[in-house]
C-alpha cells in the first residue's frame, strides 16, 4: 500500500463547472442514428420513430449538448437531402463510411430529438465538399425567422419557429487524409474565417468552433492550430480537439495514464492559442471545444476503404470493460481540471458507435461500463472546480504518471463538495490522505467505486448491469479546529467518487 496526499481549499478555484462539459455526439455513422436514437419499428419507439428507452438513458447520462451530424460524415453531406417530406428525400451515398444514407432522419428530426433529450444542439457544417454559401443557407434555414428562401422552406416543412441553434462547428478534422475535402492549414484557415464572417452576418449570436488537429499525433499538430488561427482568430470562439485512447498488449501503464496525455494535449493547444493572441495583441482568449473524446479500439477497425456498402452497418461497436470505465472517469477529471479553458466537451459517440449506450432491435437499451463515470460526474460535479495538486509515488516502474489523481468541485451555495480520485497503479492499493481547509466539518454522504476488481468485466445484452458503481465505506473523516481530514482507500485500477456535505 502506498500513500498520496493532497490539500483542498475552497478559496483556490479554477472556474465554474462549464455546463457544456458533459456533451456527446450523434453522427450518421453505423447504428448511431438508424437503429440507435431512431428506430420506428422498435416497440419502444414513439410516434416519430424516436426510441424512448434510449432517450431515458440519455437523460440519465446527463448529456448537456449533442454535436450532429458528424464527424467525417458531415464532409460529404448535403443537409437539404435530410429535410422536407420524407417520401421526397433521396437515398444517397455516404462516402465517409461507405454507407447508404436513407435521409429519413435529418435536421428537423434531430432538433425534435434534442428537445426531448434536454440537450443543446451543436451543428457541424460541411466545409469538405461545400463552402460558405451552403453553410449560410443552412444557418438561414435553421435560425432566420422567415420571409426568405430558406427560412420559408423551413416553415413550409412544418417548423414555424426558428431553431435558434447557437453552437456551430466549421467542418470536421480538415487536416485528416481520410477527410473528404481535406485542406491545408492555409486553405482551411481562410475558409473558416470567411464562413465565420458570413455566418455572423446572418446571426450574430452564433458561437463558432474552428477545427484544430484531428489528434495530438498528427505531424502538423501545433503548426496547424497556429496557421489556422492566424487566419480566423478574430472570427471564431473555440478551437476543437479530438482524442481517442486505446489499450494495447504493450501499453497498459500508458493507457491507464491517458488523462496525463489529455492534460498535455489541452495545455499545448492553450499555449498555441495564446501565442496567436499575443502575436495579434488580442485581449480575447479562445476557449477549447474537446468535441470528440473517448476510448476507441481503433486497431480492430478495418478502415473506411475496406467497408462494404450497406445501410446502418455495425461499425465500431466497441464493448467497454470495467478498466475502460476507470480511464473514462479519469479523462473527465482532466476535463474538469481545465475548465478555465475547455468550455465544451463531447463524449464520442452517444449510441452504439463507441458509445456509452447500446441498443439491439429486440430488447431495451443498456448502459455500457463507461456510462457510469460520465453520469456520476455530470450529476455531481457542481459549482466550482477546485485546484488540487496531489503528491505521491508514480503508478509503477513503467509509468511517469502519478499513481493517484484527484479532482474536486464545490457548490458555493451549499458548501457540498465532490471528490473524484483515481488509482492508476496496476497492483497496489493506495491511501489518499486529504486535508480539507473548510470551516465546517464535512461528512461523507456517498462513496462509490468503479473498477478495483473484475477489470475485464463488461455489460452486454445478456448481462446489462454486471458492471456498475459499488458503494464503499473505505474512508475515515476527522475534524480538528483548522479543518477536516479524509483518508480514502483506493483499490488498484479504480475510480472513486465521494460526496461530502457540511454537517
Ligand atoms: O467518431 C468517429 C470518427 O472519429 C469521426 O467521424 C471523426 O471525426 C473521427 O475521426
Amino acid at each position: 500500500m502506498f500513500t498520496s496526499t493532497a490539500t483542498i481549499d475552497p478559496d483556490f478555484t479554477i472556474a465554474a463547472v462549464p455546463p457544456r462539459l458533459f456533451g456527446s455526439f450523434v453522427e450518421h455513422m453505423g447504428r448511431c442514428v438508424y437503429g440507435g436514437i431512431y428506430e420506428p419499428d422498435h416497440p419502444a419507439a414513439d410516434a416519430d420513430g424516436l426510441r424512448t428507452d434510449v432517450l431515458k438513458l440519455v437523460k440519465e447520462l446527463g448529456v448537456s449538448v449533442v454535436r450532429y451530424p458528424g464527424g467525417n460524415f458531415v464532409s460529404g453531406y448535403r443537409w437539404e437531402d435530410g429535410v422536407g417530406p420524407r417520401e421526397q428525400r433521396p437515398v444517397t451515398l455516404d462516402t465517409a463510411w461507405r454507407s447508404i444514407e436513407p435521409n429519413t432522419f435529418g435536421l428537423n428530426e434531430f432538433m425534435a430529438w434534442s428537445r426531448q433529450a434536454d440537450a443543446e444542439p451543436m451543428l457541424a457544417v460541411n466545409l469538405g465538399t461545400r463552402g460558405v454559401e451552403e453553410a449560410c443557407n443552412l444557418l438561414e434555414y435553421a435560425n432566420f425567422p422567415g420571409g426568405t428562401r430558406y427560412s420559408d422552406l423551413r416553415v413550409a416543412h412544418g417548423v414555424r419557429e426558428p431553431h435558434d441553434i447557437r453552437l456551430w462547428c466549421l467542418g470536421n478534422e480538415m487536416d485528416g487524409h481520410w477527410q473528404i475535402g481535406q485542406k491545408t492549414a492555409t486553405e482551411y484557415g481562410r475558409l473558416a474565417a470567411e464562413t465565420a464572417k458570413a455566418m455572423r452576418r446572418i446571426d450574430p449570436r452564433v458561437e463558432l468552433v474552428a477545427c484544430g488537429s484531428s489528434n495530438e499525433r498528427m505531424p502538423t499538430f501545433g503548426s496547424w492550430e497556429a496557421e489556422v488561427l492566424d487566419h480566423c482568430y478574430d472570427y471564431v470562439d473555440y478551437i476543437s480537439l479530438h482524442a481517442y485512447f486505446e489499450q494495447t498488449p504493450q501499453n497498459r501503464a500508458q493507457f491507464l495514464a491517458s488523462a496525463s496525455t489529455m492534460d498535455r494535449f489541452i495545455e499545448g493547444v492553450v499555449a498555441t492559442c495564446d501565442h496567436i493572441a499575443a502575436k495579434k495583441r488580442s485581449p480575447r482568449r479562445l476557449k477549447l471545444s474537446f468535441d470528440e473524446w473517448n476510448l476507441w479500439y481503433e486497431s480492430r477497425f478495418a478502415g473506411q476503404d475496406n467497408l462494404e456498402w450497406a445501410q446502418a452497418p455495425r461499425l465500431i461497436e466497441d464493448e467497454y470493460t470495467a478498466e475502460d470505465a476507470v480511464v473514462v472517469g479519469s479523462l473527465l477529471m482532466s476535463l474538469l481540471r481545465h475548465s478555465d479553458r475547455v468550455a465544451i466537451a463531447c463524449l464520442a459517440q452517444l449510441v452504439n458507435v463507441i458509445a456509452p449506450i447500446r441498443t439491439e432491435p429486440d430488447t431495451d437499451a443498456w448502459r455500457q461500463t463507461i456510462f457510469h463515470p460520465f453520469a456520476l460526474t455530470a450529476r455531481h460535479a457542481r459549482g466550482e472546480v477546485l485546484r488540487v495538486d496531489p503528491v505521491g509515488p508514480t503508478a509503477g516502474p513503467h509509468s511517469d504518471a502519478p499513481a493517484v489523481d484527484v479532482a474536486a468541485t464545490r457548490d458555493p451555495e451549499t458548501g457540498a463538495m465532490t471528490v473524484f480520485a483515481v488509482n492508476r497503479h496496476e497492483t497496489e492499493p493506495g491511501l489518499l490522505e486529504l486535508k480539507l481547509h473548510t470551516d465546517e466539518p464535512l461528512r461523507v454522504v456517498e462513496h462509490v467505486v468503479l473498477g478495483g476488481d473484475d477489470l475485464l468485466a463488461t455489460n452486454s445484452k445478456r448481462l446489462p448491469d454486471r458492471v456498475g458503481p459499488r458503494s464503499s465505506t473505505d474512508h475515515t473523516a476527522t475534524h480538528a479546529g483548522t479543518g477536516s481530514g479524509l483518508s480514502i482507500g483506493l483499490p488498484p485500477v479504480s475510480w472513486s467518487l465521494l460526496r461530502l456535505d457540511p454537517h
Side-chain angles (χ1 to χ4, degrees):
M1 157 103 72
F2 64 87
T3 302
S4 295
T5 59
T7 300
I8 298 182
D9 190 318
D11 286 340
F12 294 126
T13 59
I14 296 174
V17 177
R20 290 167 167 169
L21 206 64
F22 305 107
S24 187
F25 175 35
V26 165
E27 176 166 7
H28 283 245
M29 175 180 179
R31 298 191 309 127
C32 187
V33 172
Y34 304 107
I37 63 173
Y38 176 74
E39 192 172 13
D41 295 338
H42 193 274
D46 66 10
D48 297 323
L50 305 177
R51 277 188 65 158
T52 54
D53 56 335
V54 173
L55 275 166
K56 196 164 159 254
L57 288 187
V58 172
K59 286 193 205 167
E60 184 185 321
L61 189 61
V63 168
S64 53
V65 44
V66 178
R67 183 166 171 254
Y68 173 85
N72 297 339
F73 171 80
V74 80
S75 294
Y77 183 48
R78 290 172 41 85
W79 64 268
E80 304 89 328
D81 295 340
V83 293
R86 277 210 176 92
E87 62 285 1
Q88 287 171 22
R89 298 186 198 173
V91 174
T92 53
L93 292 182
D94 157 24
T95 41
W97 303 111
R98 286 171 65 95
S99 296
I100 306 292
E101 172 56 54
N103 285 304
T104 47
F105 191 96
L107 173 67
N108 295 322
E109 288 80 22
F110 173 72
M111 291 304 298
W113 177 87
S114 61
R115 265 192 301 278
Q116 290 217 42
D118 292 333
E120 180 183 6
M122 179 180 192
L123 257 281
V125 301
N126 174 356
L127 292 187
T129 58
R130 310 186 96 186
V132 184
E133 184 176 345
E134 294 89 346
C136 288
N137 295 346
L138 171 56
L139 181 60
E140 180 186 324
Y141 181 93
N143 283 10
F144 206 73
T148 64
R149 179 172 20 175
Y150 288 103
S151 59
D152 282 349
L153 189 60
R154 183 196 69 240
V155 175
H157 292 162
V159 184
R160 175 168 293 281
E161 293 305 315
H163 287 307
D164 193 20
I165 300 167
R166 298 289 168 88
L167 277 175
W168 295 83
C169 303
L170 301 171
N172 177 68
E173 296 190 348
M174 298 309 310
D175 59 335
H177 63 79
W178 56 88
Q179 203 66 220
I180 304 295
Q182 180 193 8
K183 310 239 171 329
T184 65
T186 317
E187 288 165 347
Y188 173 68
R190 290 283 309 119
L191 180 59
E194 294 307 316
T195 308
K197 257 164 60 184
M199 287 178 76
R200 282 195 196 287
R201 293 243 171 102
I202 295 172
D203 184 349
R205 292 172 312 169
V206 292
E207 297 172 49
L208 301 174
V209 185
C211 290
S213 298
S214 295
N215 57 65
E216 196 207 15
R217 298 181 309 277
M218 296 298 285
T220 49
F221 170 59
S223 58
W224 168 274
E225 281 77 0
E227 165 107 41
V228 165
L229 291 177
D230 241 336
H231 295 290
C232 68
Y233 192 90
D234 294 331
Y235 304 108
V236 301
D237 305 285
Y238 308 91
I239 183 116
S240 74
L241 294 81
H242 292 179
Y244 293 101
F245 302 91
E246 171 174 19
Q247 181 167 187
T248 66
Q250 296 80 32
N251 79 346
R252 187 169 184 222
Q254 198 191 336
F255 172 70
L256 290 171
S258 297
S260 299
T261 311
M262 191 184 238
D263 289 343
R264 188 188 60 210
F265 183 21
I266 292 170
E267 285 154 25
V269 175
V270 167
T272 309
C273 291
D274 292 353
H275 163 68
I276 300 302
K279 261 179 71 178
K280 290 182 179 292
R281 283 93 176 151
S282 171
R284 286 178 73 230
R285 287 294 169 271
L286 229 56
K287 295 263 176 152
L288 274 46
S289 172
F290 213 129
D291 46 44
E292 284 187 37
W293 72 269
N294 202 351
L295 313 184
W296 175 2
Y297 285 87
E298 213 168 337
S299 52
R300 296 178 200 155
F301 175 53
Q304 283 101 319
D305 293 338
N306 298 313
L307 300 172
E308 298 290 339
W309 289 103
Q311 188 172 313
R314 287 176 184 267
L315 292 183
I316 59 171
E317 299 193 356
D318 288 356
E319 188 166 274
Y320 294 111
T321 64
E323 181 155 320
D324 291 333
V326 171
V327 174
V328 163
S330 70
L331 291 168
L332 285 157
M333 289 160 60
S334 168
L335 292 171
L336 279 174
R337 191 170 22 253
H338 293 98
S339 51
D340 53 338
R341 297 303 288 266
V342 180
I344 305 166
C346 303
L347 178 71
Q349 299 187 3
L350 184 60
V351 187
N352 290 328
V353 178
I354 45 171
I357 298 171
R358 283 293 317 274
T359 68
E360 285 296 340
D362 57 353
T363 187
D364 279 348
W366 70 93
R367 305 165 188 81
Q368 290 236 57
T369 62
I370 63 168
F371 182 101
H372 296 290
F374 189 101
L376 285 163
T377 307
R379 194 172 321 137
H380 296 303
R382 288 272 167 268
E384 286 166 332
V385 185
L386 303 180
R387 205 169 282 288
V388 196
D389 290 311
V391 177
T394 65
H398 311 297
S399 184
D400 296 336
V404 166
D405 193 11
V406 186
T409 60
R410 180 172 179 272
D411 184 341
E413 309 261 298
T414 62
M417 223 182 243
T418 305
V419 175
F420 307 88
V422 66
N423 178 3
R424 311 188 267 212
H425 202 291
E426 292 175 36
T427 51
E428 276 192 51
L431 184 69
L432 173 61
E433 299 273 18
L434 283 181
K435 266 191 219 151
L436 305 169
H437 286 181
T438 53
D439 296 334
E440 67 282 82
L442 294 166
R443 69 194 166 92
V444 176
V445 290
E446 186 178 8
H447 177 178
V448 291
V449 181
L450 274 161
D453 55 26
D454 215 0
L455 291 169
L456 295 181
T458 60
N459 291 340
S460 59
K461 178 174 156 184
R462 205 171 55 82
L463 291 173
D465 296 316
R466 184 165 167 209
V467 179
R470 304 184 303 278
S471 230
S472 170
T473 51
D474 192 2
H475 56 257
T476 317
T478 52
H479 187 73
T482 51
S484 305
L486 184 61
S487 311
I488 311 166
L490 305 175
V493 189
S494 68
W495 177 89
S496 302
L497 176 149
L498 290 94
R499 292 199 301 116
L500 316 177
D501 274 356
H503 266 293

